[in-house]
Coordinates of all heavy atoms in Angstrom, one line a residue:
M25 N 115.0 133.6 101.9 CA 114.1 133.0 101.1 C 113.8 131.6 101.5 O 114.6 130.8 101.6 CB 114.5 133.0 99.6 CG 113.6 132.5 98.6 SD 114.2 132.8 97.0 CE 114.1 131.2 96.4
S26 N 112.4 131.3 101.7 CA 112.1 130.0 102.1 C 111.8 129.1 100.9 O 111.4 129.6 99.9 CB 110.9 130.0 103.2 OG 109.8 130.5 102.4
L27 N 111.9 127.9 101.1 CA 111.6 126.9 100.0 C 110.1 126.7 99.9 O 109.4 126.7 100.9 CB 112.2 125.5 100.4 CG 113.7 125.4 100.4 CD1 114.1 123.9 100.8 CD2 114.2 125.7 99.0
P28 N 109.6 126.6 98.7 CA 108.2 126.2 98.5 C 107.9 124.8 99.0 O 108.8 124.0 99.0 CB 108.0 126.4 97.0 CG 109.3 126.2 96.4 CD 110.3 126.7 97.4
K29 N 106.7 124.6 99.5 CA 106.4 123.3 100.1 C 106.3 122.3 99.0 O 106.7 121.1 99.2 CB 105.0 123.4 100.9 CG 104.8 122.2 101.7 CD 103.6 122.5 102.6 CE 103.5 121.4 103.6 NZ 102.5 121.8 104.7
Y30 N 105.6 122.6 97.9 CA 105.4 121.6 96.8 C 106.3 122.0 95.5 O 106.5 123.2 95.3 CB 104.0 121.6 96.4 CG 103.1 121.1 97.6 CD1 102.3 122.1 98.2 CD2 103.1 119.9 98.0 CE1 101.5 121.7 99.3 CE2 102.3 119.4 99.0 CZ 101.5 120.4 99.7 OH 100.7 120.0 100.8
P31 N 106.5 121.1 94.7 CA 107.3 121.5 93.4 C 106.5 122.5 92.6 O 105.3 122.3 92.4 CB 107.5 120.2 92.7 CG 107.2 119.1 93.7 CD 106.3 119.7 94.9
Q32 N 107.2 123.4 92.0 CA 106.5 124.5 91.3 C 106.4 124.2 89.8 O 105.5 124.7 89.1 CB 107.2 125.8 91.5 CG 107.3 126.2 93.0 CD 105.9 126.4 93.6 OE1 105.1 127.0 93.0 NE2 105.7 125.8 94.8
T33 N 107.4 123.5 89.2 CA 107.3 123.3 87.7 C 106.9 121.9 87.4 O 107.1 120.9 88.3 CB 108.7 123.5 87.1 OG1 109.7 122.6 87.6 CG2 109.2 125.0 87.4
P34 N 106.5 121.6 86.2 CA 106.2 120.2 85.8 C 107.3 119.2 86.0 O 107.1 118.0 86.4 CB 105.6 120.3 84.4 CG 105.2 121.7 84.3 CD 106.1 122.5 85.1
V35 N 108.5 119.6 85.6 CA 109.6 118.8 85.7 C 109.9 118.5 87.2 O 110.2 117.3 87.5 CB 110.9 119.4 85.0 CG1 112.1 118.5 85.2 CG2 110.6 119.6 83.5
A36 N 109.9 119.4 88.0 CA 110.1 119.3 89.4 C 109.1 118.3 90.0 O 109.3 117.4 90.9 CB 110.2 120.6 90.2
Q37 N 107.9 118.5 89.6 CA 106.8 117.6 90.0 C 107.0 116.2 89.7 O 106.8 115.2 90.4 CB 105.4 118.1 89.6 CG 105.0 119.4 90.2 CD 103.8 120.0 89.4 OE1 103.3 119.5 88.4 NE2 103.3 121.1 90.0
A38 N 107.4 115.9 88.4 CA 107.6 114.6 87.9 C 108.8 114.0 88.6 O 108.7 112.8 89.0 CB 107.9 114.6 86.4
L39 N 109.9 114.7 88.8 CA 111.1 114.2 89.5 C 110.7 113.8 91.0 O 111.1 112.8 91.5 CB 112.2 115.2 89.5 CG 113.0 115.3 88.3 CD1 114.0 116.4 88.4 CD2 113.8 114.0 88.0
C40 N 109.9 114.6 91.7 CA 109.5 114.4 93.0 C 108.6 113.2 93.1 O 108.8 112.3 93.9 CB 108.9 115.7 93.6 SG 108.6 115.6 95.3
I41 N 107.7 113.1 92.2 CA 106.7 112.0 92.3 C 107.4 110.7 92.0 O 107.1 109.7 92.7 CB 105.4 112.3 91.4 CG1 104.6 113.5 92.0 CG2 104.6 111.1 91.2 CD1 103.5 114.0 91.1
I42 N 108.1 110.7 90.9 CA 108.8 109.5 90.5 C 109.8 109.0 91.5 O 109.9 107.8 91.8 CB 109.4 109.6 89.1 CG1 108.3 109.7 88.0 CG2 110.3 108.4 88.6 CD1 108.8 110.2 86.7
G43 N 110.5 110.0 92.0 CA 111.5 109.7 93.1 C 110.8 109.1 94.4 O 111.3 108.1 94.9
A44 N 109.7 109.7 94.7 CA 108.9 109.1 95.9 C 108.4 107.8 95.6 O 108.5 106.8 96.5 CB 107.8 110.1 96.2
I45 N 107.9 107.5 94.4 CA 107.3 106.1 94.2 C 108.4 105.1 94.1 O 108.3 104.0 94.6 CB 106.5 106.2 92.8 CG1 105.3 107.0 92.9 CG2 106.3 104.8 92.3 CD1 104.6 107.3 91.7
L46 N 109.6 105.5 93.5 CA 110.7 104.6 93.5 C 111.3 104.4 94.8 O 111.7 103.2 95.2 CB 111.8 105.1 92.6 CG 111.5 105.1 91.1 CD1 112.7 105.7 90.3 CD2 111.3 103.7 90.6
L47 N 111.2 105.4 95.7 CA 111.7 105.2 97.1 C 110.8 104.2 97.9 O 111.3 103.3 98.5 CB 111.8 106.5 97.8 CG 112.2 106.5 99.3 CD1 113.7 105.9 99.4 CD2 112.2 107.9 99.9
L48 N 109.5 104.3 97.7 CA 108.5 103.4 98.4 C 108.7 102.0 97.8 O 108.7 101.1 98.6 CB 107.1 103.9 98.1 CG 106.7 105.1 98.9 CD1 105.3 105.7 98.5 CD2 106.8 104.9 100.4
L49 N 108.9 101.8 96.6 CA 109.1 100.5 96.0 C 110.4 99.9 96.6 O 110.4 98.7 96.9 CB 109.1 100.5 94.5 CG 107.8 100.7 93.8 CD1 108.0 100.9 92.3 CD2 106.9 99.5 94.0
A50 N 111.4 100.7 96.6 CA 112.7 100.2 97.1 C 112.6 99.8 98.6 O 113.2 98.7 99.0 CB 113.8 101.3 97.0
L51 N 111.9 100.6 99.3 CA 111.7 100.2 100.8 C 110.9 99.0 100.9 O 111.2 98.1 101.8 CB 111.2 101.4 101.6 CG 112.0 102.6 101.6 CD1 111.3 103.7 102.4 CD2 113.3 102.3 102.4
A52 N 109.9 98.8 100.0 CA 109.1 97.6 100.1 C 109.9 96.4 99.8 O 109.8 95.3 100.3 CB 107.9 97.7 99.2
M53 N 110.8 96.5 98.7 CA 111.6 95.4 98.3 C 112.7 95.0 99.3 O 113.1 93.9 99.5 CB 112.3 95.7 97.0 CG 111.4 95.8 95.8 SD 110.7 94.2 95.5 CE 109.1 94.7 94.7
Q54 N 113.1 96.0 100.2 CA 114.2 95.7 101.1 C 113.7 95.4 102.5 O 114.4 95.0 103.4 CB 115.0 97.0 101.2 CG 115.8 97.3 99.9 CD 116.5 98.6 100.0 OE1 116.8 99.1 101.1 NE2 116.9 99.1 98.8
S55 N 112.4 95.6 102.8 CA 111.8 95.5 104.1 C 112.1 94.1 104.8 O 112.5 94.0 105.9 CB 110.3 95.7 104.2 OG 109.6 94.9 103.4
R56 N 112.0 93.0 104.0 CA 112.2 91.7 104.6 C 113.7 91.5 104.9 O 114.0 90.8 105.9 CB 111.7 90.6 103.7 CG 110.1 90.6 103.5 CD 109.6 89.5 102.6 NE 110.1 88.3 103.0 CZ 109.3 87.4 103.6 NH1 108.1 87.7 104.0 NH2 109.8 86.2 104.0
M57 N 114.6 92.0 104.1 CA 115.9 91.8 104.3 C 116.4 92.6 105.6 O 117.1 92.1 106.4 CB 116.8 92.4 103.2 CG 118.3 92.2 103.4 SD 119.4 93.4 102.6 CE 118.9 94.9 103.3
W58 N 115.9 93.9 105.7 CA 116.2 94.6 106.9 C 115.7 94.0 108.2 O 116.3 94.1 109.2 CB 115.8 96.0 106.8 CG 116.6 96.8 105.8 CD1 116.2 97.3 104.6 CD2 117.9 97.2 105.9 NE1 117.2 98.0 104.0 CE2 118.3 97.9 104.8 CE3 118.9 97.0 106.9 CZ2 119.6 98.4 104.6 CZ3 120.2 97.5 106.7 CH2 120.5 98.2 105.5
L59 N 114.5 93.3 108.1 CA 114.0 92.5 109.2 C 114.9 91.4 109.6 O 115.1 91.2 110.8 CB 112.6 92.1 109.0 CG 111.5 93.1 108.9 CD1 110.2 92.5 108.5 CD2 111.3 93.8 110.2
A60 N 115.5 90.7 108.6 CA 116.4 89.6 108.9 C 117.7 90.2 109.4 O 118.3 89.5 110.3 CB 116.6 88.9 107.6
V61 N 118.2 91.2 108.9 CA 119.4 91.9 109.4 C 119.3 92.2 110.9 O 120.3 92.0 111.6 CB 119.8 93.1 108.6 CG1 120.9 93.9 109.2 CG2 120.2 92.7 107.2
F62 N 118.2 92.8 111.2 CA 118.1 93.2 112.7 C 117.6 92.1 113.6 O 117.3 92.3 114.8 CB 117.2 94.4 112.8 CG 117.8 95.6 112.2 CD1 117.2 96.3 111.2 CD2 119.0 96.2 112.7 CE1 117.8 97.5 110.6 CE2 119.6 97.3 112.2 CZ 119.0 98.0 111.1
G63 N 117.5 90.9 113.0 CA 117.1 89.7 113.8 C 115.5 89.6 114.1 O 115.2 88.9 115.0
L64 N 114.7 90.4 113.5 CA 113.3 90.3 113.8 C 112.6 89.3 112.9 O 111.4 89.0 113.2 CB 112.7 91.7 113.4 CG 113.3 92.8 114.2 CD1 112.7 94.2 113.7 CD2 112.9 92.7 115.7
Q65 N 113.3 88.7 112.0 CA 112.7 87.6 111.1 C 113.8 86.7 110.8 O 114.9 87.1 110.6 CB 112.1 88.2 109.9 CG 111.6 87.3 108.9 CD 111.0 88.0 107.7 OE1 110.4 89.1 107.8 NE2 111.2 87.5 106.5
P66 N 113.5 85.4 110.8 CA 114.6 84.4 110.4 C 114.9 84.5 108.9 O 114.0 84.9 108.2 CB 114.0 83.1 110.8 CG 112.5 83.2 110.8 CD 112.3 84.7 111.2
V67 N 116.1 84.2 108.6 CA 116.5 84.1 107.2 C 115.9 83.0 106.5 O 116.0 81.9 107.0 CB 118.1 84.2 107.1 CG1 118.5 84.1 105.6 CG2 118.7 85.4 107.8
A68 N 115.3 83.2 105.4 CA 114.7 82.1 104.6 C 115.9 81.2 104.0 O 116.9 81.7 103.8 CB 113.9 82.7 103.5
P69 N 115.5 79.9 103.8 CA 116.5 79.1 103.2 C 116.8 79.6 101.8 O 116.0 79.8 101.0 CB 115.8 77.7 103.1 CG 114.7 77.8 104.1 CD 114.3 79.2 104.2
G70 N 118.1 79.7 101.6 CA 118.6 80.3 100.3 C 118.8 81.8 100.3 O 119.4 82.4 99.4
G71 N 118.3 82.5 101.3 CA 118.5 83.9 101.5 C 117.8 84.8 100.4 O 118.4 85.7 99.9
G72 N 116.6 84.4 100.0 CA 115.9 85.1 98.9 C 115.7 86.5 99.2 O 115.7 87.4 98.3
E73 N 115.4 86.9 100.5 CA 115.2 88.3 100.8 C 116.4 89.2 100.5 O 116.3 90.3 100.1 CB 114.7 88.5 102.2 CG 115.6 88.0 103.2 CD 115.4 86.6 103.7 OE1 114.5 86.0 103.2 OE2 116.1 86.1 104.6
Y74 N 117.6 88.6 100.7 CA 118.8 89.4 100.4 C 118.9 89.6 98.8 O 119.4 90.6 98.4 CB 120.0 88.6 101.0 CG 120.1 88.7 102.4 CD1 119.7 87.7 103.3 CD2 120.7 89.8 103.1 CE1 119.7 87.8 104.6 CE2 120.8 89.9 104.4 CZ 120.3 88.8 105.1 OH 120.4 88.9 106.5
M75 N 118.6 88.6 98.1 CA 118.7 88.7 96.6 C 117.8 89.7 96.1 O 118.1 90.5 95.2 CB 118.5 87.3 96.0 CG 119.5 86.3 96.2 SD 121.2 86.8 95.7 CE 122.0 86.8 97.2
V76 N 116.5 89.7 96.5 CA 115.5 90.7 96.1 C 115.9 92.1 96.6 O 115.9 93.0 95.7 CB 114.1 90.4 96.8 CG1 113.2 91.5 96.5 CG2 113.6 89.1 96.2
A77 N 116.5 92.2 97.8 CA 116.9 93.5 98.2 C 118.1 94.0 97.4 O 118.3 95.2 97.1 CB 117.2 93.5 99.7
L78 N 119.0 93.1 97.1 CA 120.2 93.5 96.4 C 120.1 93.8 94.9 O 120.6 94.7 94.4 CB 121.3 92.4 96.6 CG 122.7 92.7 96.0 CD1 123.3 93.9 96.7 CD2 123.6 91.5 96.2
F79 N 119.3 93.0 94.3 CA 119.2 93.1 92.9 C 118.0 93.9 92.3 O 117.9 94.3 91.2 CB 119.2 91.7 92.1 CG 120.5 91.0 92.3 CD1 120.6 89.8 93.1 CD2 121.6 91.5 91.7 CE1 121.8 89.2 93.2 CE2 122.8 90.9 91.9 CZ 122.9 89.7 92.6
I80 N 117.0 94.1 93.2 CA 115.9 94.9 92.9 C 115.8 96.2 93.7 O 115.7 97.3 93.3 CB 114.5 94.1 93.0 CG1 114.5 93.0 92.0 CG2 113.3 95.0 92.7 CD1 113.4 92.0 92.1
G81 N 115.9 96.0 95.1 CA 115.7 97.1 96.0 C 116.8 98.1 95.9 O 116.6 99.3 95.9
L82 N 118.1 97.7 95.8 CA 119.2 98.6 95.8 C 119.2 99.5 94.5 O 119.4 100.7 94.6 CB 120.5 97.9 96.0 CG 121.8 98.8 96.1 CD1 121.7 99.8 97.2 CD2 123.0 97.9 96.3
P83 N 119.0 98.9 93.3 CA 118.9 99.7 92.1 C 117.8 100.8 92.1 O 118.0 101.9 91.7 CB 118.8 98.7 91.0 CG 119.3 97.5 91.4 CD 119.1 97.5 92.9
L84 N 116.7 100.3 92.7 CA 115.6 101.3 92.8 C 115.9 102.4 93.8 O 115.6 103.6 93.6 CB 114.3 100.6 93.3 CG 113.6 99.7 92.3 CD1 112.4 98.9 93.0 CD2 113.0 100.5 91.2
L85 N 116.6 102.1 94.8 CA 117.0 103.0 95.8 C 118.0 104.0 95.2 O 117.9 105.3 95.4 CB 117.7 102.3 97.1 CG 118.2 103.3 98.2 CD1 117.0 104.1 98.8 CD2 118.9 102.4 99.2
L86 N 119.0 103.5 94.5 CA 119.9 104.4 93.8 C 119.3 105.3 92.8 O 119.6 106.5 92.7 CB 121.1 103.6 93.1 CG 122.0 102.8 94.0 CD1 122.9 101.9 93.3 CD2 122.8 103.8 95.0
L87 N 118.3 104.8 92.1 CA 117.6 105.6 91.0 C 116.8 106.7 91.8 O 116.8 107.9 91.3 CB 116.8 104.7 90.2 CG 116.2 105.4 88.9 CD1 117.3 106.0 88.1 CD2 115.3 104.4 88.2
S88 N 116.1 106.3 92.8 CA 115.3 107.3 93.5 C 116.1 108.3 94.2 O 115.8 109.5 94.2 CB 114.4 106.6 94.6 OG 115.2 106.2 95.6
T89 N 117.3 107.9 94.7 CA 118.2 108.9 95.4 C 118.7 109.9 94.3 O 118.8 111.1 94.6 CB 119.4 108.2 96.0 OG1 118.8 107.3 97.0 CG2 120.2 109.2 96.8
L90 N 119.1 109.4 93.1 CA 119.6 110.2 92.1 C 118.5 111.3 91.6 O 118.7 112.5 91.5 CB 120.0 109.4 90.9 CG 120.4 110.2 89.6 CD1 121.8 110.8 89.9 CD2 120.5 109.2 88.5
M91 N 117.2 110.8 91.5 CA 116.2 111.7 91.1 C 115.9 112.7 92.2 O 115.7 113.9 91.8 CB 114.8 110.9 90.8 CG 115.0 110.0 89.5 SD 113.5 109.3 89.2 CE 113.3 109.9 87.6
L92 N 115.9 112.3 93.4 CA 115.7 113.3 94.5 C 116.8 114.3 94.7 O 116.6 115.4 95.0 CB 115.4 112.5 95.8 CG 114.0 111.8 95.8 CD1 114.0 110.9 97.0 CD2 112.8 112.8 95.7
V93 N 118.0 113.8 94.5 CA 119.2 114.7 94.5 C 119.1 115.8 93.4 O 119.2 117.0 93.6 CB 120.5 113.9 94.5 CG1 121.7 114.9 94.1 CG2 120.8 113.2 95.8
V94 N 118.7 115.3 92.2 CA 118.6 116.3 91.1 C 117.5 117.3 91.4 O 117.5 118.5 91.1 CB 118.3 115.5 89.7 CG1 117.9 116.5 88.7 CG2 119.6 114.8 89.3
A95 N 116.4 116.8 92.0 CA 115.2 117.6 92.2 C 115.5 118.6 93.4 O 115.0 119.7 93.5 CB 114.0 116.8 92.6
T96 N 116.5 118.2 94.3 CA 116.8 119.1 95.4 C 118.0 120.0 95.0 O 118.1 121.2 95.5 CB 117.2 118.3 96.6 OG1 116.2 117.3 96.8 CG2 117.4 119.1 97.8
A97 N 118.8 119.6 94.1 CA 120.1 120.3 93.8 C 119.7 121.6 92.9 O 120.4 122.7 93.1 CB 121.1 119.5 93.1
S98 N 118.9 121.5 92.1 CA 118.5 122.6 91.2 C 117.7 123.6 91.9 O 116.7 123.4 92.6 CB 117.6 122.2 90.0 OG 117.3 123.3 89.2
R99 N 118.1 124.9 91.8 CA 117.4 126.0 92.5 C 116.0 126.2 92.2 O 115.1 126.5 93.0 CB 118.2 127.3 92.4 CG 117.7 128.5 93.1 CD 118.5 129.7 92.9 NE 119.9 129.4 93.5 CZ 120.4 130.2 94.5 NH1 119.7 131.2 95.0 NH2 121.6 129.8 95.0
T100 N 115.7 126.1 90.9 CA 114.3 126.3 90.5 C 113.4 125.0 90.7 O 112.2 125.2 90.8 CB 114.3 126.6 88.9 OG1 114.9 125.5 88.3 CG2 115.0 127.8 88.6
W101 N 114.0 123.9 90.9 CA 113.2 122.7 91.3 C 113.1 122.4 92.7 O 112.3 121.5 93.1 CB 113.7 121.5 90.5 CG 113.7 121.6 89.0 CD1 112.9 122.4 88.2 CD2 114.4 120.8 88.1 NE1 113.1 122.2 86.9 CE2 114.2 121.2 86.8 CE3 115.3 119.7 88.2 CZ2 114.6 120.7 85.6 CZ3 115.8 119.2 87.1 CH2 115.5 119.6 85.8
R102 N 113.9 123.0 93.6 CA 114.0 122.7 95.0 C 112.6 122.9 95.7 O 112.0 124.0 95.5 CB 115.0 123.5 95.6 CG 115.4 123.1 97.0 CD 116.6 123.9 97.4 NE 117.8 123.7 96.5 CZ 118.8 124.6 96.4 NH1 118.7 125.7 97.0 NH2 119.7 124.3 95.5
C103 N 112.3 122.0 96.5 CA 111.1 122.2 97.4 C 111.3 121.4 98.7 O 112.2 120.5 98.8 CB 109.8 121.8 96.7 SG 109.7 120.0 96.3
K104 N 110.4 121.6 99.7 CA 110.6 121.0 100.9 C 110.3 119.5 100.8 O 111.0 118.6 101.5 CB 109.6 121.6 102.0 CG 110.1 122.9 102.4 CD 109.1 123.5 103.5 CE 109.6 124.9 103.9 NZ 108.6 125.5 104.9
I105 N 109.3 119.1 100.1 CA 109.0 117.7 99.9 C 110.2 116.8 99.4 O 110.5 115.8 100.0 CB 107.7 117.5 99.1 CG1 106.6 118.0 99.9 CG2 107.5 116.0 98.8 CD1 105.2 117.9 99.2
S106 N 110.8 117.3 98.3 CA 111.9 116.6 97.8 C 113.1 116.5 98.7 O 113.8 115.5 98.8 CB 112.3 117.1 96.4 OG 112.7 118.4 96.5
A107 N 113.3 117.6 99.5 CA 114.4 117.6 100.5 C 114.1 116.6 101.6 O 115.0 115.9 102.1 CB 114.6 119.0 101.0
M108 N 112.8 116.6 102.1 CA 112.4 115.7 103.1 C 112.4 114.2 102.7 O 112.8 113.3 103.4 CB 111.0 116.0 103.6 CG 111.0 117.3 104.4 SD 109.4 117.8 105.2 CE 108.2 116.8 104.4
L109 N 112.1 113.9 101.4 CA 112.2 112.6 100.9 C 113.6 112.1 100.7 O 113.9 110.9 100.7 CB 111.4 112.5 99.6 CG 110.0 112.5 99.6 CD1 109.3 112.6 98.2 CD2 109.4 111.2 100.3
L110 N 114.6 113.0 100.5 CA 116.0 112.8 100.4 C 116.6 112.2 101.6 O 117.5 111.4 101.6 CB 116.7 114.0 99.9 CG 118.1 113.8 99.4 CD1 118.2 112.8 98.3 CD2 118.7 115.1 99.0
V111 N 116.1 112.6 102.8 CA 116.6 112.2 104.1 C 116.5 110.7 104.3 O 117.5 110.0 104.6 CB 116.0 113.0 105.2 CG1 116.4 112.4 106.6 CG2 116.4 114.5 105.1
P112 N 115.3 110.1 104.1 CA 115.2 108.6 104.3 C 116.0 107.8 103.2 O 116.6 106.8 103.4 CB 113.8 108.2 104.2 CG 113.1 109.4 103.7 CD 114.0 110.6 104.0
A113 N 116.1 108.4 102.0 CA 116.8 107.7 100.9 C 118.3 107.7 101.2 O 119.0 106.7 101.1 CB 116.6 108.5 99.6
L114 N 118.8 108.8 101.7 CA 120.2 108.8 102.1 C 120.5 107.9 103.4 O 121.5 107.4 103.5 CB 120.7 110.3 102.3 CG 120.8 111.1 101.0 CD1 121.2 112.5 101.4 CD2 121.8 110.5 100.1
T115 N 119.5 107.9 104.3 CA 119.7 107.0 105.5 C 119.8 105.6 105.1 O 120.6 104.8 105.6 CB 118.5 107.3 106.4 OG1 118.4 108.7 106.7 CG2 118.7 106.5 107.7
V116 N 118.9 105.1 104.2 CA 118.9 103.7 103.8 C 120.2 103.4 103.0 O 120.8 102.3 103.1 CB 117.6 103.3 103.0 CG1 117.7 102.0 102.5 CG2 116.4 103.6 103.9
L117 N 120.6 104.4 102.2 CA 121.8 104.2 101.4 C 123.0 104.1 102.4 O 123.9 103.3 102.1 CB 122.0 105.4 100.5 CG 122.9 105.2 99.2 CD1 122.3 104.0 98.4 CD2 122.9 106.5 98.4
A118 N 123.0 104.8 103.5 CA 124.1 104.7 104.5 C 124.0 103.4 105.2 O 125.1 102.8 105.5 CB 124.0 105.8 105.5
G119 N 122.8 102.9 105.3 CA 122.7 101.5 105.9 C 123.2 100.5 105.0 O 123.9 99.6 105.5
W120 N 123.1 100.6 103.7 CA 123.7 99.7 102.8 C 125.1 99.8 102.9 O 125.8 98.7 102.8 CB 123.2 100.0 101.3 CG 122.0 99.2 101.0 CD1 120.7 99.8 100.9 CD2 121.8 97.9 100.6 NE1 119.8 98.8 100.6 CE2 120.5 97.6 100.4 CE3 122.7 96.8 100.4 CZ2 120.0 96.4 99.9 CZ3 122.3 95.6 100.0 CH2 120.9 95.3 99.8
F121 N 125.7 101.0 102.9 CA 127.2 101.2 103.0 C 127.7 100.5 104.3 O 128.7 99.8 104.3 CB 127.5 102.7 103.0 CG 128.9 103.0 103.0 CD1 129.7 102.7 101.9 CD2 129.5 103.5 104.2 CE1 131.1 102.9 101.9 CE2 130.9 103.8 104.2 CZ 131.6 103.5 103.1
G122 N 127.0 100.7 105.4 CA 127.4 99.9 106.6 C 127.3 98.4 106.5 O 128.2 97.8 107.1
L123 N 126.2 98.0 105.8 CA 126.1 96.5 105.7 C 127.3 95.9 104.8 O 127.8 94.9 105.1 CB 124.8 96.3 104.9 CG 124.1 94.9 105.1 CD1 123.8 94.8 106.6 CD2 122.8 94.8 104.4
F124 N 127.7 96.7 103.8 CA 128.8 96.2 102.9 C 130.1 96.3 103.8 O 130.9 95.4 103.6 CB 128.9 97.0 101.7 CG 128.0 96.7 100.6 CD1 127.3 97.7 100.0 CD2 127.8 95.4 100.3 CE1 126.3 97.5 99.0 CE2 126.8 95.1 99.3 CZ 126.1 96.1 98.7
L125 N 130.3 97.3 104.5 CA 131.5 97.4 105.4 C 131.5 96.2 106.4 O 132.6 95.6 106.7 CB 131.6 98.7 106.1 CG 132.0 99.9 105.3 CD1 132.0 101.2 106.1 CD2 133.3 99.7 104.6
R126 N 130.3 95.9 107.0 CA 130.2 94.8 107.9 C 130.6 93.5 107.4 O 131.3 92.7 107.9 CB 128.9 94.8 108.6 CG 128.8 93.8 109.8 CD 127.4 93.8 110.2 NE 126.7 92.7 109.4 CZ 125.5 92.2 109.7 NH1 124.8 92.7 110.7 NH2 125.0 91.2 109.0
S127 N 130.2 93.3 106.1 CA 130.5 92.0 105.5 C 132.0 91.8 105.1 O 132.5 90.7 105.0 CB 129.7 91.9 104.1 OG 130.2 92.8 103.1
F128 N 132.7 93.0 105.0 CA 134.1 92.9 104.8 C 134.9 92.7 106.0 O 136.0 92.1 106.0 CB 134.7 94.1 104.1 CG 134.3 94.2 102.6 CD1 133.6 95.3 102.1 CD2 134.6 93.2 101.7 CE1 133.2 95.4 100.9 CE2 134.2 93.3 100.5 CZ 133.6 94.3 100.0
Y129 N 134.5 93.2 107.2 CA 135.2 93.1 108.5 C 134.7 92.1 109.4 O 135.2 92.0 110.6 CB 135.2 94.5 109.1 CG 136.0 95.5 108.2 CD1 135.4 96.5 107.6 CD2 137.4 95.3 108.1 CE1 136.1 97.4 106.8 CE2 138.1 96.2 107.3 CZ 137.5 97.2 106.6 OH 138.1 98.1 106.0
V130 N 133.7 91.3 109.0 CA 133.2 90.2 110.0 C 133.6 88.9 109.5 O 133.7 88.6 108.4 CB 131.7 90.4 110.1 CG1 131.2 89.2 110.9 CG2 131.4 91.6 110.9

C-alpha cells in the first residue's frame, strides 16, 4: 500500500500545514546563526543571531517536529508530504544536537 501524496483528513491537513509553516519560520529564525556557525557571516557584537535562534528558532523547530511526527506516525494521517517535511526538521534538529555537543567538547 502506497502513501497518499496529500493529507486526506482535515486534522492531517491542519497538522501538515501548521508543521510546515512552523518549520519555515524556524528555519528563517535560525538562518543567520547557521551562516555564522559555518563561517559565511561574521558574528554580530553580542551574538544576537544565536539568541534569536536559541530562544525563538529552536522552540519553533521542536514544535514543528512534534507536529510532523504526529502527522507521520498515525496510520490514517500519514502522507508523503508530512514524511518529506520531517526529513529537514530532523536534520536541523540533529545539527542542534551536534552544536550542543561541540560546545561541551571544545
